[in-house]
């Protein structure tokens, strides 16, 4: 089944403790992206990647890192999480032709 | 960069009525316009999309129209049903921006039985 898999689905952590949210797709998509969703603010792009070893900042990249060492994986790294990073995070992927994204199931992160 | 504005932010209709959600975009190079439906607690899912060489596209009760001159596109849902209740997002992308999607702020649609 074609899908984007995110883990974990839920995470509660403490301020400053490094964490990684994993994202993997099995559709051989070139494009991958991370979004955060907050009430009243819609979907805001954090980082995106157009291919292996190619990443770029989205609209709200501060406090986040990403890597794209393999085509299928695009982890989101929070080196020192803060409470304002409490949010619902979605990973998404699409083919190079700019078709619609397939979204993962989401990761609800709470930083206390 | 691209800026997408979406209206209204909330929309309440009676079952069976039509619903229209409107979006405007700023980048004249944008050429792909998808619409996503997000049910409570779930991921956004693509419901329909349109490319800039087409003015209208229909899929059963859902249609999307595009006015490139005005940089405006709309989602039309006819004969609404309670299961249409969700948050709807429009988006736009262009090759200038590496085909990255920029989303509108979302519309919460409530269909009252």
């Amino acid at each position: 089944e074609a899908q984007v898999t995110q883990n974990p689905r839920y995470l509660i952590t403490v301020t400053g403790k490094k964490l990684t949210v994993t994202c993997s797709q099995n559709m051989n998509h070139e494009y991958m992206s991370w979004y955060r969703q907050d009430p009243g603010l819609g979907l805001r792009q954090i980082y995106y990647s157009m291919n292996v070893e190619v990443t770029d900042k989205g609209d709200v990249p501060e406090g986040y890192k990403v890597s794209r060492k393999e085509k299928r994986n695009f982890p989101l790294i929070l080196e020192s999480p803060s409470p304002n990073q409490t949010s619902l995070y979605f990973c998404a992927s699409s083919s190079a032709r700019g078709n619609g994204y397939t979204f993962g199931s989401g990761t609800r992160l709470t930083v206390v | 960069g691209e800026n997408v504005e979406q209206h209204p932010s909330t929309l309440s209709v009676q079952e069976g009525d039509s619903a229209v959600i409107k979006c405007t975009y700023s980048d004249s190079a944008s050429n792909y316009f998808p619409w996503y439906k997000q049910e409570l607690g779930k991921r956004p899912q693509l419901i329909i999309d349109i490319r800039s060489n087409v003015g209208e596209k229909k899929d059963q009760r859902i249609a999307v129209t595009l006015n490139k001159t005005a940089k405006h596109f709309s989602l039309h849902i006819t004969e609404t049903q309670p299961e249409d209740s969700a948050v709807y997002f429009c988006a736009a992308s262009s090759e200038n921006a590496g085909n990255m999607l920029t989303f509108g702020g979302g519309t919460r649609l409530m269909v009252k039985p």
Side-chain angles (χ1 to χ4, degrees):
Chain A
E1 180 188 352
Q3 59 185 359
V4 177
T5 303
Q6 281 180 242
N7 281 296
R9 289 292 308 278
Y10 302 92
L11 179 60
I12 301 174
T13 190
V14 296
T15 298
K17 185 176 181 182
K18 180 179 179 179
L19 67 92
T20 299
V21 184
T22 63
C23 175
S24 181
Q25 50 93 6
N26 62 1
M27 296 167 281
N28 202 36
H29 282 168
E30 286 78 9
Y31 288 75
M32 298 187 74
S33 187
W34 276 101
Y35 290 87
R36 62 177 288 174
Q37 186 174 31
D38 302 290
L41 294 175
L43 288 155
R44 294 183 293 168
Q45 190 176 58
I46 303 170
Y47 268 94
Y48 64 94
S49 170
M50 290 190 278
N51 215 323
V52 176
E53 302 291 2
V54 180
T55 64
D56 211 342
K57 297 177 181 179
D59 297 321
V60 288
E62 293 77 21
Y64 304 95
K65 286 174 57 177
V66 293
S67 68
R68 188 88 182 275
K69 294 185 171 62
E70 307 164 284
K71 197 172 188 178
R72 64 184 293 125
N73 296 323
F74 190 44
L76 180 69
I77 303 155
L78 284 73
E79 293 271 3
S80 183
S82 63
N84 64 11
Q85 292 178 299
T86 292
S87 188
L88 177 60
Y89 291 86
F90 286 102
C91 179
S93 73
S94 75
S95 67
R97 289 189 300 166
N99 291 331
Y101 279 164
T102 299
F103 281 84
S105 298
T107 296
R108 187 166 291 283
L109 172 66
T110 302
V111 183
V112 299
Chain B
E2 176 69 280
N3 182 46
V4 178
E5 295 193 357
Q6 183 172 346
H7 300 280
S9 56
T10 60
L11 178 60
S12 181
V13 300
Q14 206 67 38
E15 182 178 0
D17 288 349
S18 295
V20 180
I21 302 170
K22 299 181 179 182
C23 289
T24 59
Y25 61 98
S26 61
D27 186 353
S28 56
S30 287
N31 57 5
Y32 176 66
F33 308 92
W35 286 87
Y36 289 83
K37 175 183 180 182
Q38 186 179 27
E39 297 176 350
L40 191 62
K42 297 190 176 179
R43 75 189 82 186
Q45 293 201 301
L46 180 69
I47 55 172
I48 194 167
D49 57 12
I50 191 168
R51 297 191 183 273
S52 58
N53 58 347
V54 175
E56 183 173 355
K57 185 176 179 180
K58 194 172 182 180
D59 183 3
Q60 299 182 346
R61 296 186 298 108
I62 294 173
V64 58
T65 59
L66 171 65
N67 182 328
K68 283 184 63 180
T69 303
K71 289 189 279 188
H72 168 277
F73 58 113
S74 300
L75 177 72
H76 304 253
I77 307 174
T78 59
E79 300 172 23
T80 54
Q81 301 166 3
E83 51 264 39
D84 294 329
S85 297
V87 177
Y88 291 81
F89 291 97
C90 64
S93 75
S94 78
E95 292 178 4
N96 289 352
N99 289 316
M100 290 299 108
L101 283 176
T102 299
F103 284 86
T107 297
R108 182 173 299 280
L109 173 64
M110 294 170 282
V111 180
K112 294 179 285 186

